[in-house]
């Protein structure tokens, strides 16, 4: 009996030991951490997440400028930028409302302070809004140094385009200037895709207008202001001048000592008529600047000019008018629309 009881005791201890070993082994398996995967997951950097740049380098008329991306308190003074900024929903702190298209949303927005026109601007308003960015150009280009001194902590960029009498390549300057300014604004306001699409449309409009021109028709460009017809000289000056180079137009009339005067040069209507142009391209200055009820539309002035009635352009109805707001809205969108209109007219 003793041997039997002793044997049973030994057997019981052995079984208990085996059970304890098995439990210990199972316990170790359940609490063992997966160090290879979980540790690596916790310390592995996310290479796909890259910090967005807070500044961008912009090349303007004076060199390279560091500009904050999506700046606050923006002041825009360049007529070639207003429509682009508006289309992109960019808020402005101040702008020269007196020389902006009347239908610009910035003009009606009372939160946008009015700097006035370029002849007597209130530059102190620029300092008052404490801008991060001031966009200078065109009418306000001559105030560049004054503005930089007034707001030394702001980024000031000058997007002016040289289409003056002293420029050797006004057409090239205009095209590249509009495209470069658009790309720069896209980089500043995080609208790169929109800027690239706009430039692509602009390039296409240029190519279409080039293809539509037969290379022989003579072109006469004029500015109508105050009921008077002014000669807009080929090659230089605002709007029409650079297009002779861009599209290879044959001018109906070339004279010496022309200027880029905003009302056109003082060449008689009779001299314009004697050139007998195949086409007359017209800029209506008053349509963009005059609110007077008695201002005469450019089309009426052309239609009622006795000297022009026998010209080929009038008799064959080959007259093209720039968009009404062109004089105060020389944005890339305006030129895009104008170039498309020229291409369609010349192709007919």
């Amino acid at each position: 009996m003793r041997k039997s009881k002793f044997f049973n005791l030994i057997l019981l201890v052995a079984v208990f030991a085996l059970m304890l070993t098995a439990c210990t082994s199972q316990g170790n398996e359940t609490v063992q951490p997966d160090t290879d995967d979980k540790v690596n997951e916790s310390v592995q950097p996310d290479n796909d997440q890259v910090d967005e740049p807070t500044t961008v380098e912009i090349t303007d008329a004076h060199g390279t400028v560091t500009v904050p991306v999506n700046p606050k308190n923006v002041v825009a003074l360049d007529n070639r930028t207003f429509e682009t900024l508006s289309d992109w929903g960019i808020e402005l702190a101040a702008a020269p409302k007196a020389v902006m298209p009347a239908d610009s949303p910035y003009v009606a927005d009372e939160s946008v302070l009015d700097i006035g026109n370029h002849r007597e601007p209130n530059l102190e308003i620029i300092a008052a809004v404490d801008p991060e960015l001031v966009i200078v150009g065109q009418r306000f280009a001559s105030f560049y140094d004054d503005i930089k001194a007034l707001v030394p902590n702001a980024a000031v960029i000058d997007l002016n385009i040289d289409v003056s009498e002293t420029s050797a390549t006004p057409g090239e300057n205009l095209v590249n200037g509009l495209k470069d300014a658009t790309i720069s604004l896209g980089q500043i306001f995080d609208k790169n895709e929109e800027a690239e699409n706009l430039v692509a449309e602009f390039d296409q409009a240029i190519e279409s207008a080039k293809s539509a021109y037969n290379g022989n028709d003579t072109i006469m460009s004029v500015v109508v202001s105050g009921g008077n017809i002014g000669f807009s000289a080929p090659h230089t000056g605002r709007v029409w001048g650079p297009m002779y180079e861009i599209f290879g137009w044959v001018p109906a009339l070339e004279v010496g000592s022309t200027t880029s005067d905003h009302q056109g040069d003082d060449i008689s209507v009779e001299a314009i008529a004697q050139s007998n142009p195949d086409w007359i391209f017209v800029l209506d200055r008053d349509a963009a600047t005059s609110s007077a009820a008695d201002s005469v539309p450019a089309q009426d002035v052309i239609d009622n000019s006795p000297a022009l009635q026998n010209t080929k352009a009038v008799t064959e109805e080959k007259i093209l008018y720039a968009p009404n707001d062109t004089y105060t809205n020389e944005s890339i969108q305006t030129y895009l629309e104008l170039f498309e209109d020229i291409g369609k007219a010349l192709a007919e």
Side-chain angles (χ1 to χ4, degrees):
M1 291 293 294
R2 285 184 177 180
K3 289 182 180 181
S4 177
K5 289 181 179 180
F6 181 72
F7 176 78
N8 289 341
L9 180 60
I10 293 175
L11 182 61
L12 182 61
V13 170
V15 171
F16 179 75
L18 289 172
M19 291 176 63
L20 182 61
T21 301
C23 290
T24 304
S25 176
Q26 290 177 358
N28 288 340
E29 289 179 6
T30 58
V31 299
Q32 181 68 28
D34 187 0
T35 57
D36 289 340
D37 292 334
K38 297 191 180 297
V39 171
N40 288 339
E41 286 181 10
S42 63
V43 299
Q44 185 70 24
D46 185 359
N47 292 327
D48 293 335
Q49 187 174 357
V50 179
D51 291 337
E52 294 293 332
T54 58
T55 61
V56 62
E57 298 294 315
I58 297 299
T59 301
D60 74 349
H62 303 273
T64 302
V65 185
T66 301
V67 180
V69 174
N70 288 321
K72 296 179 177 61
N73 293 349
V74 178
V75 174
L77 304 172
D78 184 1
N79 285 71
R80 294 187 176 106
T81 65
F82 296 141
E83 186 171 357
T84 302
L85 297 173
S86 175
D87 286 352
W88 292 350
I90 306 303
E91 295 182 358
L92 296 182
K97 295 184 179 183
V99 289
M100 297 175 70
D103 60 354
S104 170
Y106 297 126
V107 173
D109 189 346
E110 294 182 357
S111 69
V112 180
L113 301 184
D114 186 7
I115 295 171
N117 65 41
H118 54 294
R119 302 190 186 283
E120 295 181 353
N122 186 351
L123 298 182
E124 294 299 327
I125 289 179
I126 299 176
V129 300
D130 190 24
E132 282 193 324
L133 172 65
V134 181
I135 302 170
V136 181
Q138 206 173 23
R139 291 172 173 86
F140 283 82
S142 61
F143 295 99
Y144 174 79
D145 290 331
D146 295 331
I147 293 170
K148 279 185 65 70
L150 196 62
V151 285
N153 295 324
V156 180
I157 58 174
D158 182 0
L159 301 181
N160 194 45
I161 301 171
D162 184 10
V163 292
S164 66
E165 297 90 337
T166 59
S167 171
T169 55
E172 181 181 341
N173 290 357
L174 179 64
V175 170
N176 290 338
L178 288 169
K179 290 163 62 173
D180 291 345
T182 302
I183 294 300
S184 293
L185 292 175
Q187 293 173 329
I188 293 170
F189 296 103
D190 197 20
K191 299 288 184 180
N192 293 296
E193 184 176 352
E194 290 87 342
E196 290 170 2
N197 290 340
L198 194 52
V199 167
E201 291 181 46
F202 181 66
D203 282 337
Q204 181 57 53
I206 291 174
E207 291 306 312
S208 296
K210 280 183 179 179
S211 299
Y213 179 56
N214 61 20
N216 297 312
D217 284 356
T218 57
I219 310 295
M220 168 60 64
S221 51
V222 299
V223 177
V224 174
S225 176
N228 298 314
I229 301 172
F231 175 60
S232 179
H235 308 302
T236 63
R238 299 261 296 280
V239 186
W240 298 122
M243 293 187 198
Y244 288 82
E245 176 192 339
I246 296 171
F247 300 115
W249 290 343
V250 177
L253 177 65
E254 289 189 275
V255 296
S257 303
T258 56
T259 71
S260 57
D261 186 83
H262 61 165
Q263 295 182 348
D265 285 295
D266 188 17
I267 304 298
S268 70
V269 179
E270 287 72 22
I272 293 174
Q274 287 174 8
S275 71
N276 195 26
D278 292 301
W279 288 88
I280 297 177
F281 292 159
V282 185
L283 172 65
D284 189 343
R285 179 178 179 272
D286 292 346
T289 61
S290 177
S291 59
D294 58 350
S295 63
V296 182
Q299 185 169 349
D300 291 349
V301 175
I302 299 294
D303 290 345
N304 296 319
S305 172
L308 297 178
Q309 296 313 301
N310 293 323
T311 61
K312 187 175 182 180
V314 171
T315 58
E316 296 185 3
E317 298 183 348
K318 291 183 176 180
I319 304 173
L320 183 140
Y321 295 86
N324 281 341
D325 65 350
T326 299
Y327 185 73
T328 56
N329 180 19
E330 291 184 57
S331 63
I332 191 172
Q333 289 93 338
T334 297
Y335 280 97
L336 171 58
E337 179 184 352
L338 179 53
F339 291 169
E340 288 177 340
D341 289 346
I342 291 171
K344 291 174 184 177
L346 294 178
E348 292 179 354

